[in-house]
Amino acid sequence: DAGVTQSPTHLIKTRGQQVTLRCSPKSGHDTVSWYQQALGQGPQFIFQYYEEEERQRGNFPDRFSGHQFPNYSSELNVNALLLGDSALYLCASSLLPGPGEFFGPGTRLTVL
Amino acid sequence: SQQGEEDPQALSIQEGENATMNCSYKTSINNLQWYRQNSGRGLVHLILIRSNEREKHSGRLRVTLDTSKKSSSLLITASRAADTASYFCATDALGEYGNKLVFGAGTILRVKS
């Protein structure tokens, strides 16, 4: 049973560019959440998708957007990249309404 | 802003010793979870304790929860070099929809062999 998978593993972009990160949830899970983890910090909640809709959002600007597909996989898009967007982006899946999120290995984004 | 705070920020112990990490949070919760992270990679789920539970065990792990003090502790017994990692507590707020987790800044544990 595959766990949560994310792609790509690493990504280097320049300021002002746009990036798309991808996530496939653990088999049987229907909810995907995205987190940003800056170096030396704990993860911060970006948003959560359930039934192809954004259900909750953290304190992130509109430059961060997402999408969930009918097969429950998800994308995170970030526009107009800033240096401060450099971080590890983590995807987590769960089966609502139960607790217990399973995290993927993350995508390391570096903005130059 | 992050709700949880882990204490200590860093901990260095010898192999075989016990390691205790503490977590405090600010609002009422449904559940509290502990995660491990190796070298800035993905988070590995260690244990979940519900707000109506006081103590939970899983192998060498023991977690306690004191909702009156809004605090939790993670004890790792008989530590191994492989336990070297960052440890995070995460809470999901009571009454909120879904599993939005709020993390602390983590405790960096180093186990010396």
Side-chain angles (χ1 to χ4, degrees), chain B residues 17-58:
Chain B
E17 294 181 336
N18 295 341
T20 300
M21 289 159 268
N22 303 297
C23 166
S24 61
Y25 57 92
K26 296 177 182 174
T27 63
S28 296
I29 62 171
N30 290 317
N31 310 283
L32 185 144
Q33 301 177 70
W34 284 90
Y35 288 86
R36 184 185 75 227
Q37 185 176 43
N38 293 84
S39 302
R41 298 301 291 164
L43 297 165
V44 175
H45 185 264
L46 296 176
I47 197 164
L48 177 151
I49 186 165
R50 300 180 188 274
S51 59
N52 61 353
E53 297 176 309
R54 292 296 166 258
E55 187 171 315
K56 204 161 182 180
H57 296 254
S58 176

Side-chain angles (χ1 to χ4, degrees), chain A residues 32-53:
Chain A
V32 172
S33 301
W34 287 92
Y35 292 79
Q36 180 196 65
Q37 186 179 21
L39 197 62
Q41 300 294 318
Q44 295 221 10
F45 177 80
I46 303 174
F47 44 52
Q48 181 180 83
Y49 278 83
Y50 173 67
E51 292 185 335
E52 302 179 48
E53 289 190 13

Side-chain angles (χ1 to χ4, degrees), chain A residues 15-29:
Chain A
R15 282 178 296 175
Q17 284 189 315
Q18 179 265 342
V19 68
T20 297
L21 310 182
R22 296 176 175 82
C23 171
S24 291
K26 180 179 169 62
S27 177
H29 284 185

Side-chain angles (χ1 to χ4, degrees), chain A residues 14 19-20 33 41 45 60 65 71 78-79 89 94 96 101 103-104:
Chain A
T14 56
V19 68
T20 297
S33 301
Q41 300 294 318
F45 177 80
F60 279 82
S65 63
N71 66 353
V78 187
N79 294 322
Y89 288 85
S94 59
L96 287 182
E101 291 204 305
F103 282 79

